Structure formats: C-alpha cells, structure tokens
Amino acid sequence: MRRYSACIEWLFAEEDDSFADRIRRAHAGGLTAVEFWRWTDKDLDAIEAALKETGLAVTSLVAEPMIALTDAANRQAWLAGLADSVAVARRLGAPVLIAQAGDDLPGLSRKEQRRALTETLKSGADVLEGSGVRLGLEPLNIRIDHIGYFLDSTREGLDIIDDVARPEIGIVYDIYHSAVMDERTEDVLDGRLDRVVHVHVADHPGRNEPGSGSIDLAHRLGWIFANGYDGAVGLEYRPRKPGGHAVRTAIASLG
C-alpha cells in the first residue's frame, strides 16, 4: 500500500492561513500524512495539536539550519541545529529529516567541498544514532530551480552516501529534479535503492501536479516500488487547482 504525503508548504494552503489548518484540510481531503520544510518558523504546539486531532502522520521535515554543508566552517553550527531538528522530528513522529548540500562555493574545489560535506554527514550520523530518525541528502536540479547548487547528480549523491557509510544517512530521491537533469530512475538507483529514505514527485514543466506534464512518473514510481522501496512519497508540487479532489486526481495518475 503506497503512502502519500502532502507537502503543505504548497498543498492545502490558503492565504494567511495556519499550518494547523492545512493539516486539517489535508485530512478532510483524504490524506493520511503531511510534510513541510522549516520547523523554526512554525507554531509547533498548534501543529502537534492538529496532528493529534486528525491522526495524520508527518513523514519529513527539513534539518535546520539550512547552511552550506560544503563549507567545513559551518559544521559545528549545523550539528547543533541537527540535534534540535532531531528533537522536533521525534516530537512530531517524523522518521526523516531532509538536508541540502548548499551551493557550489567559489574559491573551493569540488574535491574540498565534497570532503567537507562527507565529513559533516559522518558527524551528523553520530547525532542521529539511536534516535530512530534518518537524514536524507537531497540532490537538486541546477537548470531551473537551484542554479549554483553543489549536488545535482543522484549518482554523486549516492557515492557520497557510500563514502559516509552510516545507516543513519541516505538520500531523498526527487523524481522531478532527477528528470530535469535528464536522469533515468532505473539507471541512477539500480543496486542502491536501499539508500533512498524518502521520495518526492512533481511533473515537468512547471513543477505542477502529477499528470500535468511529460515526466513518466507512474513508470518511475512503479519501478521504485517494484524494486523494494517501502517509504513514503512526498507530493511536493505547486498545485494549479486547490482542494482535496485535485490532490486525489494527482495521486490516481501515479498508478
């Protein structure tokens, strides 16, 4: 049984509403789980109350602070923030924290930046150990949404995870970002699907709802699940139409 998680940064959102209200709308729309990005700018008490009220789960949130892990000078600040993020994830029952590598830094070689990123993730694994929370490093596309980002390759992301060699650390595989970078899911994940801790979907062009563009999302997701993935799929897209029916239609297009 596939589990879909609504990213309430974009889904079930209304102007000037609260994230607690978005959780209630997601529940009314038939969703069983939600996810969001930063936690430091949100009312966690209200979110926790809405989760208890609706019975919805949280599948993921972002590990803060969102600073460049490619810069070794940021390591200690990020690790301190990671400890706080783990506490919030445990409070809300979220099994996954999402980390971004940060930008490709001028004045530092890719080798230096990759070493800094790898060593920071190794130290992060010590913070995560025994918590029941895993961290997913997320490759992003540099053609449209994240120009200048360091990590645009799923293969390189997986190579970094293999260098870290800790079960607490994996990757977030975003099908949209991967497709924009002309990757084939079967090619980049073959033999290493067990490193994927969370999956995101959106269509292209536009980063809108599944079924609105040209990405073969149903095929790619089908391959992922057929090959043993048993985690959640985050609906991280910009909806063109509001409401639960539109979300359910998008889910139906995924097979």
Side-chain angles (χ1 to χ4, degrees), residues 10-221:
W10 286 333
L11 298 183
F12 300 104
E14 295 182 5
E15 188 175 359
D16 297 325
D17 68 352
S18 72
F19 276 75
D21 287 336
R22 297 180 193 187
I23 291 169
R24 296 184 181 98
R25 286 191 209 103
H27 177 254
L31 274 292
T32 61
V34 296
E35 58 186 78
F36 52 86
W37 299 336
R38 295 178 185 268
W39 57 268
T40 54
D41 62 355
K42 294 178 176 63
D43 184 339
L44 294 179
D45 289 339
I47 285 174
E48 186 175 28
L51 293 171
K52 289 180 179 178
E53 173 190 325
T54 60
L56 264 62
V58 176
T59 58
S60 69
L61 54 140
V62 168
E64 294 191 68
M66 293 182 71
I67 52 180
L69 307 188
T70 46
D71 186 346
N74 288 334
R75 184 170 302 150
Q76 294 308 314
W78 184 76
L79 290 172
L82 177 62
D84 292 337
S85 297
V86 169
V88 172
R90 295 188 70 182
R91 173 183 174 182
L92 300 180
V96 172
L97 288 168
I98 297 175
Q100 295 185 354
D103 286 346
D104 192 353
L105 301 174
L108 292 175
S109 68
R110 285 196 66 84
K111 183 177 180 180
E112 290 174 306
Q113 292 180 77
R114 177 163 163 171
R115 182 185 306 118
L117 174 57
T118 301
E119 292 304 315
T120 296
L121 291 174
K122 286 181 178 179
S123 297
D126 293 334
V127 175
L128 290 156
E129 186 175 13
S131 68
V133 179
R134 298 181 73 191
L135 183 81
L137 176 67
E138 188 171 23
L140 303 172
N141 84 78
I142 60 171
R143 294 177 174 172
I144 300 173
D145 303 278
H146 299 277
I147 295 169
Y149 186 69
F150 177 81
L151 184 63
D152 61 14
S153 163
T154 299
R155 279 199 179 94
E156 185 176 10
L158 288 165
D159 290 343
I160 291 168
I161 299 312
D162 287 349
D163 289 342
V164 173
R166 292 286 299 268
E168 296 88 356
I169 309 293
I171 72 161
V172 174
Y173 180 65
D174 190 308
I175 295 177
Y176 164 78
H177 289 301
S178 182
V180 170
M181 295 306 297
D182 295 326
E183 295 180 346
R184 293 183 70 249
T185 298
E186 299 94 322
D187 293 340
V188 297
L189 295 184
D190 188 34
R192 297 199 284 184
L193 187 60
D194 60 319
R195 282 77 152 176
V196 176
V197 301
H198 194 57
V199 170
H200 279 153
V201 294
D203 219 329
H204 176 65
R207 203 174 180 182
N208 301 127
E209 52 268 86
S212 66
S214 61
I215 302 178
D216 52 344
L217 292 170
H219 172 79
R220 291 174 185 251
L221 264 187

Side-chain angles (χ1 to χ4, degrees), residues 217-230:
L217 292 170
H219 172 79
R220 291 174 185 251
L221 264 187
W223 185 91
I224 288 170
F225 280 104
N227 282 273
Y229 179 71
D230 62 358

